[in-house]
Amino acid sequence: MRPLFSSGLALVAGILLVSVAEGEVRRSTERPPEVRRVDRTLPAWPVKTPVRSMRIPSRWIAGPPELPGWLAEETSGGSPSRPAVDDAVAPRGPLAPPPSRVSRLATAAQQTLGLTHEFYFTRAAYTGGRGGYFGRGAPAWATDYPKADIQFLIVLKRLTNLDAWDDENAIRLDDPRIRQFPFLYALEVGYMTLSPPEIAGLRAYLDAGGFLMVDDFWGTREWAAFEYQISRVLPGRPIQDIPLDHPLFDMVYDIDEVLQVPALGRGIYGRPTYERDGYVPTVSGIFDDDGRLMAVLNWNTDLGDAWEHAENPMYPVEFSTYAFQVGVNTVVYGMSH
Amino acid sequence: MESIFTALFKYRPLLFREGELVFGTPWPIAAVLGVTALVAISAVATYGSRQGKATAGQRTTLATLRLAALGVLAFVLLQPTLVLTSTVPQQNFIGVLLDDSRSMRLPGESTETRGDFLLETFGPEGSPLLSELQDRFSVRTFRFSGETSRVADASELLYDGTRTDLAGALDRARQELSSVPLSGLVVLTDGADNGGRALAESLVPLQAASIPVYPVGLGDEALTPDVQIGRVELPRSVLRGASLVVDVVVNHRGYQGETVEVVVEDGNRRIAQEPIELGPNGEPTITPVRVTLEEPGPRRLRFSIPRLEGEAVVQNNRRDLLVEVRERREKILYFEGEPRHEVKFIRRAIEADENLQVVVLQRTAPGKFLRLNVDDGDELASGFPRTREELFQYRALVIGSVEAAFFTADQLSMIADFASRRGGGVLFLGGRTAFAEGGYRGTVIEDALPVLLEEPARDPRSAFTQLAVEPTNAGLSHPISQILPSEPSAEADAADATGPEMPETLDDAWASLPPLSTMNRIVSAKPGATTLLTGSSDEGEDRIVLAHHRYGRGRVIAFPVQDSWIWQMHSEIAVDDPRHELLWQQLLRWLADGAPDPVHVEPDREQVEPGESIRLRATVLDSAYLEVNAAEVVAEVTDPTGSVRTEPLSWTVDDDGIYEAVIPVSANGRHAVEVVARQGELELGRGVAFFQAGPSDEEFFDAGRRTALLERLAEDTGGRFYTVDDVDQLPEDLRFTGGGVTLTEERDLWDMPVFFLLIVGLIGAEWGVRRLWGMV
């Protein structure tokens, strides 16, 4: 009886939600005012993030070569020459990516020896629990990987003069070669649990002039988790809202509204665009001492899914168009500021 | 040597040079030669007919000796005579020019100071030399330093002139004595001509009037021991905060192997010091001294070496130079054909530099441009400038990876003109559509580049290679390459604990940088270009990484690598490592430095004595940098007391767009000049310059006697060079070589001792040979 009751309740709730949507795709601006403002203050730590204990085979991720001596000294604990994923974090580490993608990751990492292209859409491979691919056997960082990356690159090359490499390029945060890719994309960062070498690597990356684009994390819980992690990377640097008159919004395309881009399952079925309590999408960032953006945080939105499923006729073109525009603007901003 | 000649030939060589040889025999020359020939034939016949026991060779030898003696005798019988032109006593004048500059206080050869010789020789008490001159000539005495004037004798000399204007002195004396028969000008000087005028120009009228000059060199050729700051290469104006590498040339004698310290002071503040080991005697030692000028406005920098023990001259241990430190933002246009990381990292590198403004125009998509750092919404609104007026407002231009086909033919010419006509700097960066790969072969840009373009690769990526970069010898001393911070910052100190250590030497600073990549194969620089950085490719091929040359009025730099940002981002580079920032700040500053404004003014020298005049020379161009001849140009000269005098400048006619004025200077101290050029109601621009008025120590530099200059002066005018040792020959030489009223004088040569010796020698030799062979 109990399962039947639960199913009935869910059905009623679904009907109610669809009626609210009035047959249109829900946009963030249609949220009731009282639920748009989200308190993003940090909850008491630690946030209990359920993770699966599964050891990731080291051969699936190309480990870094020798760390520079100074970086090794800076990192506390662990051998600098061994990937921290294996020993320190693996017991509660990410799910393994499917073998087909692992080979691509290795390829991307290896080709850093000859960077014949100007731009590599580089994805941060970080230590962390389950993510958007929960249930599909991939770690959080590999959500939408590599199709989102490749599709975004196809459109990026079509819309700009950028000399970009055609394929995805994932690299670990503690890999020194990450410094050769000044643009970094990370998503599902609410599940990120950075190891000391990763913290040191990302901190040096950003301090040296690297740019981080963050996407696809939802609700206050994931916000808090990410805020804690990034505070370990950049202590003392607050996250600030980026107003719509910021140059980020008119680098290539004039963007005068922040949309909430839904995940595939919500986009194609016309369900509410939000996930968890992430009702209001925001674009915020972390600025350096000179007022330049070091990181852009797209919260309560899923640009990656819009890129990944842009070819899907069921996915609303309005969202995929917007996601591409945001992506293009962010890349051009990251390469010029 | 000359005395031996005189003993043999009766007269000094000078008389033979000046005179003409004639024969004074009363008999016809043909008769004398005929008789001589008969005697000679009979002598030969005698040796030929009497066989005796002599061999043919012996007879030939004896006949030759006999004939030679007969030849000499015949020559004497012809009565050779030297016909000379000599000045008529007391009918001619000579001008005696006495050096009255401060260098006359330096030690002389035979006297305590050089000036003492003047006083002894041309003083009121007279001297044998002066008496001899006065016996034959009317002597007019002048003193000269910066100015020239008549004096009664050497007692009026003060030896306080701060310049030696030799050309001016010769001009003045020639003009003053132009109405009298002038036999020559005698100049007593050390030859330290620093009047700033071309000596050759003053020699032309002297040559035309046949007035010989007789320089008498005073002092030793080299002062020992002595060390001096020979030369300092410092631009007249620099941008505030500019890191200059100033080449300081130190000359010395007697201090070989010693280490001295070159100190640079700005007012009372020491801003740089550099130890230098002195090389071999007499050879200049060049040391680059890095100077950073932070105080805006005109600055007087003093380069000095502490006094060494036993030095002959201490005044030449320091040099003062005036430099204008400009407080302005140099506006640089960076045009990039595609989104590139270089844009970001160049902008970040120069962000802390308040004196550089890099305006970025970036083509993000075909026909779509991103503008950064523009002053207003209209700037570059239609993309890359289409007129020279619009482009020439920038002081430097950076062209990134953009294909030549993007530009119109006129725009390509504009880019070349930006350097050649506007005088700005143009920097070409590497990239997949740059240099030959961008289709620049055969365009005007190829002519402007300092490097030779090779056949382009079909696919630029196939030409991809990494380059380990190192500076050339020229690069190590170039301001662009000074990537070691002059003073370690507190921030860097704090970060030392976490980052790689900063190298301590410039060589290490370059050697420890990671390799860069390129897709443009550039292996040769053009003749005249300077290569500052080279790179070794994966295949071991040497490539050019940074080269520059002058192109017209401006400069063009090639930097055919595509990812200099690696020197900021690479994991082996500490996050606060300043090398990338310093490289770009210095590269862009050097690129923009020296780009002239449409109106600029320069004084002909930066140091002038009160009472003298200074010549201002202004260049007036319009916004397209075309010369304007019909402008109204006015200079406002502000003297140290603050009073302002307005002087108009007039077009020189000889050169387009050049205006000049001569300004008298009366007050000691720093003078400021502001020139304003107008064309009708339109103000074309303003230019500012500075100069210093006051005594200088220029006289003490290179204060040794300049024999070569004085010898040339004598040679070009038909005179003769003397030292204090042989100056006693001057009166007689003047008598035969001078101009003015002259008469002809004959000197017999038949009684020259050399003839007697020859005749006796030849006959004696014949006799000796006979004895040797047993004939007598």
Side-chain angles (χ1 to χ4, degrees), chain B residues 475-533:
Chain B
L476 277 174
S477 58
H478 197 277
I480 293 177
S481 314
Q482 308 306 306
I483 55 171
L484 267 183
S486 50
E487 291 173 11
S489 67
E491 191 182 341
D493 287 344
D496 275 351
T498 57
E501 286 185 9
M502 189 66 202
E504 290 185 355
T505 66
L506 191 58
D507 281 323
D508 291 344
W510 280 104
S512 57
L513 285 171
L516 302 183
S517 69
T518 184
M519 292 188 188
N520 311 107
R521 186 169 171 270
I522 303 288
V523 294
S524 310
K526 286 181 181 171
T530 305
T531 302
L532 302 180
L533 299 176

Side-chain angles (χ1 to χ4, degrees), chain A:
Chain A
M1 275 308 284
R2 202 170 176 84
L4 190 63
F5 175 74
S6 301
S7 304
L9 200 63
L11 186 64
V12 170
I15 291 168
L16 280 173
L17 283 171
V18 169
S19 64
V20 169
E22 295 177 352
E24 291 183 3
V25 177
R26 196 178 310 280
R27 293 165 56 156
S28 63
T29 51
E30 294 162 0
R31 293 281 110 209
E34 61 272 17
V35 294
R36 288 183 62 192
R37 306 306 305 168
V38 178
D39 180 14
R40 283 185 275 145
T41 53
L42 186 67
W45 188 258
V47 175
K48 299 289 184 191
T49 307
V51 292
R52 283 189 182 181
S53 294
M54 181 170 175
R55 189 174 183 82
I56 181 170
S58 61
R59 69 177 189 281
W60 285 3
I61 295 183
E66 197 82 8
L67 279 176
W70 63 271
L71 185 58
E73 287 170 15
E74 188 184 353
T75 56
S76 59
S79 164
S81 60
R82 299 178 61 196
V85 172
D86 278 346
D87 17 346
V89 190
R92 49 192 288 261
L95 296 173
S100 62
R101 296 206 178 94
V102 172
S103 62
R104 302 187 76 112
L105 175 65
T107 307
Q110 283 162 5
Q111 63 81 47
T112 60
L113 293 174
L115 301 175
T116 59
H117 291 267
E118 179 67 28
F119 180 77
Y120 292 79
F121 187 73
T122 305
R123 179 181 284 245
Y126 54 81
T127 305
R130 66 175 188 179
Y133 268 31
F134 173 64
R136 288 204 267 164
W141 68 262
T143 303
D144 308 332
Y145 181 81
K147 188 184 166 195
D149 306 38
I150 294 170
Q151 298 219 140
F152 174 60
L153 280 164
I154 291 169
V155 177
L156 181 68
K157 291 180 70 171
R158 184 70 183 263
L159 297 178
T160 68
N161 278 353
L162 189 60
D163 173 28
W165 196 51
D166 290 332
D167 293 324
E168 76 283 359
N169 180 42
I171 193 159
R172 295 163 49 120
L173 292 175
D174 55 2
D175 186 335
R177 291 173 298 186
I178 197 172
R179 298 269 289 272
Q180 296 177 47
F181 306 103
F183 187 92
L184 192 61
Y185 175 71
L187 77 180
E188 289 287 7
V189 292
Y191 299 94
M192 194 163 69
T193 52
L194 298 177
S195 66
E198 288 177 315
I199 289 171
L202 183 56
R203 180 187 300 148
Y205 175 85
L206 294 172
D207 284 344
F211 185 86
L212 175 65
M213 176 183 183
V214 175
D215 176 32
D216 194 11
F217 67 123
W218 297 79
T220 49
R221 192 186 191 91
E222 291 184 10
W223 173 273
F226 172 72
E227 190 176 39
Y228 172 73
Q229 293 295 330
I230 203 72
S231 72
R232 296 167 69 203
V233 175
L234 299 171
R237 292 205 182 278
I239 298 172
Q240 301 174 45
D241 282 330
I242 302 175
L244 279 170
D245 59 359
H246 189 274
L248 176 70
F249 294 107
D250 57 11
M251 274 290 104
V252 179
Y253 295 100
D254 289 335
I255 295 172
D256 49 17
E257 184 182 19
V258 176
L259 297 186
Q260 186 163 57
V261 178
L264 172 69
R266 294 169 183 275
I268 62 174
Y269 298 121
R271 287 155 58 188
T273 55
Y274 66 87
E275 294 178 28
R276 290 177 276 282
D277 61 344
Y279 303 116
V280 181
T282 67
V283 181
S284 50
I286 300 172
F287 294 83
D288 66 10
D289 294 338
D290 298 310
R292 293 173 303 225
L293 274 170
M294 305 167 82
V296 171
L297 318 176
N298 294 284
W299 183 50
N300 293 339
T301 194
D302 192 349
L303 304 173
D305 252 23
W307 298 340
E308 184 185 10
H309 303 292
E311 87 292 354
N312 188 333
M314 299 289 286
Y315 191 84
V317 70
E318 179 189 10
F319 292 128
S320 54
T321 302
Y322 171 80
F324 282 121
Q325 289 180 344
V326 171
V328 169
N329 271 13
T330 309
V331 167
V332 172
Y333 180 91
M335 293 183 76
S336 58
H337 285 73

Side-chain angles (χ1 to χ4, degrees), chain B residues 562-716:
Chain B
Q562 57 180 0
D563 53 1
S564 70
W565 56 267
I566 284 289
W567 288 345
Q568 168 64 27
M569 276 298 287
H570 199 275
S571 59
E572 290 169 7
I573 303 286
V575 293
D576 54 359
D577 189 304
R579 284 179 283 182
H580 177 261
E581 285 91 334
L582 285 171
L583 173 72
W584 275 103
Q585 286 173 14
Q586 282 154 189
L587 179 55
L588 294 183
R589 277 171 170 266
W590 193 78
L591 189 68
D593 195 31
D597 290 322
V599 175
H600 63 273
V601 60
E602 278 190 5
D604 64 347
R605 55 186 188 271
E606 64 177 41
Q607 177 86 31
V608 63
E609 281 187 74
E612 291 186 340
S613 298
I614 195 161
R615 183 180 295 271
L616 299 177
R617 187 179 171 90
T619 307
V620 179
L621 309 168
D622 65 10
S623 56
Y625 280 72
L626 294 171
E627 295 85 358
V628 180
N629 292 336
E632 181 193 346
V633 186
V634 175
E636 286 187 351
V637 183
T638 309
D639 70 13
T641 63
S643 67
V644 180
R645 190 171 70 242
T646 304
E647 298 276 352
L649 278 76
S650 50
W651 179 40
T652 57
V653 181
D654 291 337
D655 299 300
D656 287 337
I658 304 294
Y659 294 74
E660 286 188 347
V662 177
I663 310 285
V665 179
S666 55
N668 266 321
R670 187 161 56 221
H671 292 62
V673 181
E674 182 174 28
V675 163
V676 184
R678 289 190 182 81
Q679 194 173 27
E681 295 296 311
L682 177 69
E683 182 177 308
L684 295 169
R686 288 166 182 264
V688 177
F690 300 89
F691 63 87
Q692 187 82 18
S696 81
D697 289 328
E698 196 60 33
E699 278 291 309
F700 296 104
F701 290 89
D702 297 323
R705 186 182 75 216
R706 294 191 202 167
T707 307
L709 175 87
L710 298 175
E711 282 179 340
R712 187 171 66 84
L713 182 62
E715 192 177 322
D716 288 356

Side-chain angles (χ1 to χ4, degrees), chain B residues 433-450:
Chain B
T433 54
F435 294 96
E437 286 68 25
Y440 285 96
R441 289 186 81 190
T443 67
V444 291
I445 301 299
E446 184 180 19
D447 294 338
L449 284 169

